[in-house]
Amino acid sequence: MSAKAARFPKTPAAIGLTLFVIAWMVLVIILPLANVLFEAFARGVAPYLTSLAHPDAISAVKLTLLVAAIAVPLNAVFGIAAAWAITRFEFSGKGLLLSILDLPFTISPVISGLVWVLLFGAHGWFGAVLQDAGIQIIFALPGLVIATILVTLPFVARELIPLMQDQGTDEEVAAVTLGANGWSLFFRVTLPNIKWALTYGVLLCTARAMGEFGAVSVVSGHIRGLTNTLPLHIEVLYNEYDSVGAFAAATLLAGLAIITLILKTFLEWRFAGELAAHRKH
Amino acid sequence: MSPPASTPATHVVPEGFKPPKVTHNTRVLPGFKLSLGLTITYLSLIVLIPLAALIARPWEHGLEAVINTVTDERVLASLKVTFGISFAAAIANLFTGLAVAWVLTRYEFPGKRILDALVDLPFALPTAVAGISLCTMYATNGWIGSLLEPLGIRVSYTPLGIFVALVFVGLPFIVRSVQPVLAEFDAEVEEAATTLGASPLQTAFRVILPALAPALLTGFSLAFARAVGEYGSVIFIAGNMPFLSEITPLLIVIKLEEFDYAGAATVALTLLSLSFLVLIVLNAAQLILSKRGQK
């Protein structure tokens, strides 16, 4: 197997195709990104800063960070546990478990929010019980968190499973034979082997958790300063024709996306061998 | 069952004794029960119980109500819009995505690394940001919309807008599915085809394309599945006119806002079942293609 080495396009067809692809990437990817900045600063720097300093914007940023800070660690712990169970042991029903694990990628974000309303909403299965107990889940922080957890559930597990499958169990079996107990085995042998794949998974999970729109939109109720995450804050401002405000908030999320891409590219370049070979997302 | 008294005691098998099962996996490593228990509990709480609610709730006003909801003209129209435009966008991405993957693996040019990294932007950029940006860009006073307006083409607030948003969302799926296969494609096979007198076009269509087909189909399925459920990037640019540019996920939200839980669940379950059906067909097609490729 020898792949053709990349070289400068020479034939007219190759040059034409390359130019088309560059033009297409500019149109589809780069212009929408540039447009965010352009619209945010359409009336100068002062209105941009004013919109970001608005209390609703600040509370949206705080809420977004809070939701991610709860959802991402939980999914990371789950991802490690799931990868450990799936790659280190044989048991029946593993295929089914993997399919269930992948479900959140196939389900519409709107449905990932809807299911929680069906359970905990005012007319949900547990709605009356929760109301009597004075617990609010939908239109409150817990709803935002569980909707985000559902949407971002597979990210960490999906990075770890192929990698841990490839790495095999030799080192871990050796450590157990030498008398390592469960936790020291995990922290001294497994974790150092998977740390970059774990970082990669956590990165993707965090980016999605902070940017999620559909699922949180359904469970949020859009209460200003209270249950609006940053993406929802953008929606509210945009629908009120506050273009500068909406795009100012959007620059924060676009910046987050760029940082994610840079870190992702860096991890892929620097630790290619320590990340899983095949990835879909 | 007790042995005769004369039998030496060492041969006595205690009652209820079972020889240890010889299994393929001897489970040397610790943590099986803990990790599997945690995994199953978490998946049940986060995925299975909520999905059970989705499957159970449509039927609470009887089968007739479900049929009425599913056959409602507005619901049917939204499904047509959602699946039709998702399909069209995935097809468009099949061609452009292949071109992008081809150029990124075969040619060298300044800025290629950056372009390669930017392919993943639709994964990383929150959908609401993409949605408002595309909507203003393609509005009649936007960067692109103002150029198209004299030609009589309107994108924002029309079905064409949904197409544009879904092309944005779907591009990386095709590129990232095809790229690794293209990078590992044996150059000798291509050279052999050329040596045997195949024209570049013949090589492309009869040698390279068949080898890429399974990967293209995988990318197509992923892009299509994502497009069908897409919400954030679409609702701003769609205009959301019932029967014309209203997507099914939005209809679910509308029903929910009217506190019609059963109706919302019915539409959601229909959307989910249909997209699974399409995915099963595409997976089967992919299986056939990759088997043919191995022969």
Side-chain angles (χ1 to χ4, degrees):
Chain A
M1 288 289 273
S2 65
K4 226 172 181 172
R7 55 194 159 73
F8 281 93
K10 284 197 185 105
T11 63
I15 294 169
L17 190 64
T18 306
L19 289 177
F20 166 76
V21 163
I22 293 172
W24 185 252
M25 288 289 291
V26 168
L27 176 71
V28 176
I29 305 280
I30 296 172
L31 279 186
L33 191 61
N35 188 50
V36 173
L37 274 181
F38 177 79
E39 295 285 343
F41 292 101
R43 296 204 191 103
V45 179
Y48 172 82
L49 293 176
T50 314
S51 349
L52 286 187
H54 194 280
D56 286 349
I58 291 171
S59 86
V61 170
K62 279 186 188 158
L63 186 62
T64 304
L65 293 174
L66 178 63
V67 169
I70 302 171
V72 175
L74 286 174
N75 277 343
V77 170
F78 161 76
I80 293 169
W84 184 260
I86 286 168
T87 62
R88 295 304 181 246
F89 305 101
E90 285 306 323
F91 53 90
S92 49
K94 198 190 267 190
L96 182 68
L97 198 68
L98 279 167
S99 310
I100 297 171
L101 187 75
D102 270 342
L103 272 179
F105 278 155
T106 328
I107 299 175
S108 169
V110 168
I111 299 178
S112 298
L114 165 77
V115 289
W116 298 111
V117 182
L118 296 179
L119 286 175
F120 303 128
H123 303 286
W125 277 351
F126 306 108
V129 181
L130 288 170
Q131 203 162 20
D132 291 346
I135 301 170
Q136 180 134 30
I137 292 184
I138 301 304
F139 303 156
L141 178 67
L144 297 173
V145 171
I146 48 180
T148 306
I149 288 178
L150 173 53
V151 172
T152 59
L153 182 136
F155 280 101
V156 175
R158 270 288 145 203
E159 287 307 319
L160 293 182
I161 290 169
L163 177 78
M164 287 172 68
Q165 201 91 58
D166 278 359
Q167 285 179 340
T169 57
D170 291 354
E171 286 183 35
E172 282 146 359
V173 171
V176 169
T177 316
L178 292 172
N181 73 28
W183 292 114
S184 71
L185 169 70
F186 175 73
F187 284 108
R188 292 175 172 216
V189 181
T190 310
L191 196 59
N193 279 339
I194 63 169
K195 60 174 186 273
W196 293 115
L198 182 64
T199 311
Y200 192 92
V202 165
L203 176 72
L204 298 187
C205 189
T206 310
R208 181 64 194 268
M210 291 194 187
E212 178 50 32
F213 177 72
V216 291
S217 166
V218 171
V219 296
S220 142
H222 297 89
I223 308 164
R224 281 178 175 233
L226 213 56
T227 64
N228 268 351
T229 61
L230 207 43
L232 300 174
H233 181 65
I234 292 173
E235 181 196 18
V236 169
L237 294 183
Y238 190 79
N239 287 340
E240 287 173 352
Y241 305 102
D242 179 0
S243 172
V244 168
F247 278 100
T251 57
L252 297 181
L253 287 175
L256 181 77
I258 296 294
I259 292 170
T260 305
L261 284 187
I262 292 173
L263 288 176
K264 181 174 170 296
T265 311
F266 173 75
L267 285 173
E268 282 166 5
W269 166 74
R270 178 69 180 76
F271 303 106
E274 293 171 65
L275 298 174
H278 289 284
R279 57 184 90 262
K280 285 196 259 178
H281 294 269
Chain B
M1 288 299 280
S2 58
S6 60
T7 315
T10 47
H11 288 179
V12 173
V13 177
E15 219 162 303
F17 174 80
K18 284 181 197 155
K21 269 188 196 164
V22 181
T23 50
H24 169 66
N25 193 322
T26 43
R27 280 180 196 155
V28 184
L29 296 176
F32 176 65
K33 279 184 188 160
L34 177 67
S35 62
L36 189 64
L38 194 69
T39 304
I40 291 176
T41 310
Y42 198 79
L43 280 178
S44 304
L45 289 176
I46 305 290
V47 182
L48 293 181
I49 294 175
L51 273 187
L54 181 70
I55 293 168
R57 292 215 53 170
W59 318 97
E60 59 195 12
H61 302 306
L63 184 63
E64 207 177 326
V66 173
I67 294 171
N68 282 341
T69 307
V70 174
T71 54
D72 177 50
E73 303 248 322
R74 191 168 162 192
V75 174
L76 288 177
S78 84
L79 287 169
K80 243 181 248 171
V81 169
T82 301
F83 281 88
I85 301 179
S86 295
F87 191 78
I91 292 281
N93 273 332
L94 209 53
F95 291 99
T96 54
L98 177 60
V100 172
W102 183 275
V103 168
L104 287 179
T105 39
R106 288 301 168 92
Y107 304 131
E108 200 54 61
F109 54 90
K112 185 178 115 165
R113 300 273 167 275
I114 296 173
L115 220 54
D116 195 359
L118 279 174
V119 167
D120 281 331
L121 185 79
F123 287 158
L125 193 70
T127 53
V129 177
I132 61 169
S133 186
L134 289 172
C135 183
T136 39
M137 254 177 79
Y138 286 91
T140 47
N141 58 354
W143 284 353
I144 311 282
S146 58
L147 301 176
L148 295 174
E149 165 92 296
L151 306 173
I153 303 170
R154 279 179 180 241
V155 180
S156 285
Y157 316 117
T158 74
L160 198 55
I162 304 177
F163 176 79
V164 166
L166 294 182
V167 164
F168 172 81
V169 166
L171 179 71
F173 290 98
I174 312 269
V175 179
R176 294 302 184 224
S177 299
V178 176
Q179 231 174 352
V181 185
L182 209 51
E184 291 200 354
F185 190 78
D186 201 341
E188 281 157 28
V189 177
E190 260 179 271
E191 277 155 23
T194 315
T195 317
L196 291 171
S199 71
L201 270 184
Q202 270 177 322
T203 314
F205 280 97
R206 310 199 63 169
V207 179
I208 300 169
L209 215 53
L212 290 182
L216 279 171
L217 204 55
T218 305
F220 181 88
S221 312
L222 292 170
F224 181 79
R226 171 69 195 266
V228 165
E230 185 53 31
Y231 179 69
S233 59
V234 172
I235 53 159
F236 295 102
I237 200 172
N240 307 322
M241 300 277 290
F243 300 100
L244 184 70
S245 62
E246 185 176 64
I247 54 166
T248 312
L250 178 68
L251 205 53
I252 297 171
V253 173
I254 292 173
K255 291 212 180 278
L256 207 54
E257 277 167 1
E258 292 164 353
F259 294 102
D260 179 7
Y261 283 23
T266 306
V267 178
L269 192 58
T270 310
L271 179 71
L272 201 57
S273 314
L274 283 176
S275 61
F276 273 133
L277 205 67
V278 175
L279 284 183
I280 288 169
V281 172
L282 287 173
N283 270 341
Q286 206 237 359
L287 220 62
I288 294 167
L289 272 180
S290 28
K291 269 195 188 146
R292 194 175 290 171
Q294 280 164 7
K295 273 180 196 169

